[in-house]
Amino acid sequence: MNTLLAAAATAVSSTPSADSYFPEHIPKLQYDELIEMYSPQDPAGLKLLSVALMRRAVVDVQRAMVIRDEKPPLQNLVRSGVIGEEMLEKIVRAEKDLEAEMLEVIEEADLYRPGWGKSIFQDANHLLQQQVQQAQLQAAAAQQAAAKEAAASDPEARKAGARAETVAAQEKGEGGATAAAGTATASGKKKAAAAGGSRRASAAGSSRPASPALAAEETAEEKEARARKIADELLKEEEREKQLAEQRARSAKNVAKGKGGGGGGGKKK
């Protein structure tokens, strides 16, 4: 499994329920809560719901990657009689649920911005690439720091430090994840067009089921406070990612400038 798939599997395969292949879809639950409190008719509400929907789409792309990577080996194991069919049945159900989930995301995206449903999963895949690359850089930096610290007291550790720097350089240049959700997105678009009649995504007319995370005795004030907390966290996360993107752009510009200014002779008088 490559680095991106490993990161995706870690993000979506922790503590699943007994009858489900994946755990609860937290960004979906958060989105359902937010849409009860905010209206897409309000510019601030539209921005917040768009960010929440993108986070939801990122998890969908991650799950599509996991299914693509794990379903064929499970099928082979079942055919060979190594395992029973229970796990395979779980992943088949998860695949059907994911298809319905992606259809819903496409519909929601088109409500917020006409035509966004055609590209939201491409946007989500791009965001996922950035997140994984950032995690790789942070891990490489931590590895380099640990190797340098060890080298101060252990001469043999200098070799490990040099290897860590080589790995970091390779990972820094590594890029591009496979758009795993392409097939599911394409089929989702066709079915969404055939189904017709998008759901209204407004706070007043929402008929979404209540989130399992909500306690029955929760007051309206508590519910609103939690929704605002989720909103604040999403907006802060978006701001952090925007800053990281700007840093990457500046770094790339500096590298290009350095390469371009390497040649040339003296000034002409």
Side-chain angles (χ1 to χ4, degrees), residues 156-168:
E156 288 296 323
R158 293 174 185 172
K159 296 180 180 179
R163 287 195 296 270
E165 291 179 359
T166 301
V167 170

Side-chain angles (χ1 to χ4, degrees), residues 118-164:
K118 297 178 180 178
S119 63
I120 186 169
F121 287 111
Q122 294 176 3
D123 297 341
N125 187 63
H126 179 66
L127 179 58
L128 178 60
Q129 290 179 36
Q130 292 180 340
Q131 292 174 346
V132 171
Q133 289 171 6
Q134 185 63 30
Q136 290 174 344
L137 292 176
Q138 290 174 349
Q143 187 179 7
Q144 286 184 55
K148 288 179 180 179
E149 184 177 350
S153 57
D154 183 5
E156 288 296 323
R158 293 174 185 172
K159 296 180 180 179
R163 287 195 296 270

Side-chain angles (χ1 to χ4, degrees), residues 47 55 234-244:
K47 178 181 178 181
R55 294 298 180 275
L234 284 173
L235 293 177
K236 287 178 182 177
E237 184 179 351
E238 185 195 30
E239 184 61 29
R240 285 194 299 269
E241 289 176 351
K242 188 181 297 184
Q243 291 174 357
L244 289 172

Side-chain angles (χ1 to χ4, degrees), residues 175-194:
T178 303
T183 302
T185 305
S187 62
K189 292 174 192 173
K190 293 178 181 178
K191 293 185 179 180

